[in-house]
Amino acid sequence: VSNAGVGMVGPLECQSLAAMQSLMDTNFFGLVRLVKEVLPDMKRRRGGHIVVISSIMGLQGIVFNDIYAASKFAVEGFCESLVVQALRFNVAISLVEPGPVTTEFEAKLYEEAERTDYSRTDPETADIFTNLYLRNSKDVFASLGQTPEDIAEHTLRVIEAARPPFRHQTNVAYTPMAALKHADPSGALMTDAFYKLVFKYDAVLRLSLR
């Protein structure tokens, strides 16, 4: 089971390339290093199961999560490319894709975001992030967040499955979000829906979450 991960949230202009590279080294290359270690023996034995804790953000990018989403997209692409070859050797690969999970990981991430200096971005972007994104994110976690124990139960079911699924989403509330992307290959439907949700109907969003 690969569960290593670090987060990053905020305006792109306020994040250093060094921090981005460090995140990718953990979230993506950490997984690659693990798979390179375990896969050869699994192939020799012609049996094994690699379970990767991904994210719904590996399927759908979320505003102000640019680099974190990119790392999870990389994880998804890596596993999707590898799974067919692995199956030839009777090795299963499963991606567990949670939405928000209420842990110290997220709490520390958002506490740090509230203390960050946003002078490197424009005032409008800083205002959108602090007064729209952070406020809505707290409501999302309070309303839709899962517990670590819940994610562990989902992961256990994937591990014990007779025919392990390649993808397993842990929160059905996010299924429509992922479906929007596939409903319109041009991306217009998804982009328009998220734009309106963030900038036009944020009050409705907050009310519905509460």
Side-chain angles (χ1 to χ4, degrees), residues 56 96-101 140-141 143-147 150-151 154 157 168-178:
I56 194 69
V96 178
E97 299 162 335
V101 184
V140 167
F141 272 88
S143 178
L144 301 176
Q146 293 177 275
T147 65
D150 193 18
I151 304 304
H154 278 271
R157 288 201 292 272
H168 176 81
Q169 292 176 26
T170 68
N171 194 328
V172 294
Y174 285 83
T175 302
M177 183 178 76

Side-chain angles (χ1 to χ4, degrees), residues 126-136 202 206:
D127 180 67
I128 292 167
F129 177 66
T130 56
N131 293 318
L132 280 181
Y133 177 82
L134 287 180
R135 182 175 57 180
N136 286 340
D202 64 294
R206 289 198 307 275

Side-chain angles (χ1 to χ4, degrees), residues 1-185:
V1 178
S2 174
N3 189 36
V6 292
M8 180 180 289
V9 63
L12 185 66
E13 305 95 312
C14 300
Q15 298 163 343
S16 71
L17 282 174
M20 297 177 193
Q21 289 169 336
S22 177
L23 180 144
M24 292 296 294
D25 190 53
T26 298
N27 291 10
F28 175 63
F29 287 107
L31 168 64
V32 173
R33 285 191 289 269
L34 176 67
V35 172
K36 278 175 63 69
E37 288 294 324
V38 302
L39 186 61
D41 188 56
M42 288 182 174
K43 289 166 76 172
R44 279 191 295 270
R45 288 187 286 113
R46 291 194 173 263
H49 188 188
I50 298 169
V51 180
V52 181
I53 307 301
S54 181
S55 169
I56 194 69
M57 277 192 267
L59 301 175
Q60 173 62 61
I62 302 294
V63 62
F64 291 119
N65 284 269
D66 321 275
I67 306 304
Y68 180 78
S71 73
K72 292 300 184 178
F73 266 69
V75 164
E76 294 269 336
F78 172 70
C79 292
E80 193 170 280
S81 299
L82 193 61
V83 66
V84 173
Q85 178 204 146
L87 285 173
R88 178 68 177 176
F89 293 88
N90 196 36
V91 176
I93 296 176
S94 296
L95 288 156
V96 178
E97 299 162 335
V101 184
T102 306
T103 65
E104 290 184 6
F105 177 96
E106 279 77 19
K108 290 177 180 177
L109 188 66
Y110 287 103
E111 285 173 10
E112 183 178 322
E114 289 176 342
R115 295 193 303 266
T116 301
D117 176 17
Y118 297 110
S119 60
R120 283 174 291 175
T121 190
D122 60 276
E124 185 176 0
T125 298
D127 180 67
I128 292 167
F129 177 66
T130 56
N131 293 318
L132 280 181
Y133 177 82
L134 287 180
R135 182 175 57 180
N136 286 340
S137 290
K138 290 177 181 177
D139 289 341
V140 167
F141 272 88
S143 178
L144 301 176
Q146 293 177 275
T147 65
E149 291 77 14
D150 193 18
I151 304 304
E153 289 291 339
H154 278 271
T155 305
L156 181 61
R157 288 201 292 272
V158 168
I159 291 170
E160 293 180 337
R163 298 184 64 182
F166 176 56
R167 285 192 168 96
H168 176 81
Q169 292 176 26
T170 68
N171 194 328
V172 294
Y174 285 83
T175 302
M177 183 178 76
L180 272 179
K181 188 171 184 177
H182 297 287
D184 175 17

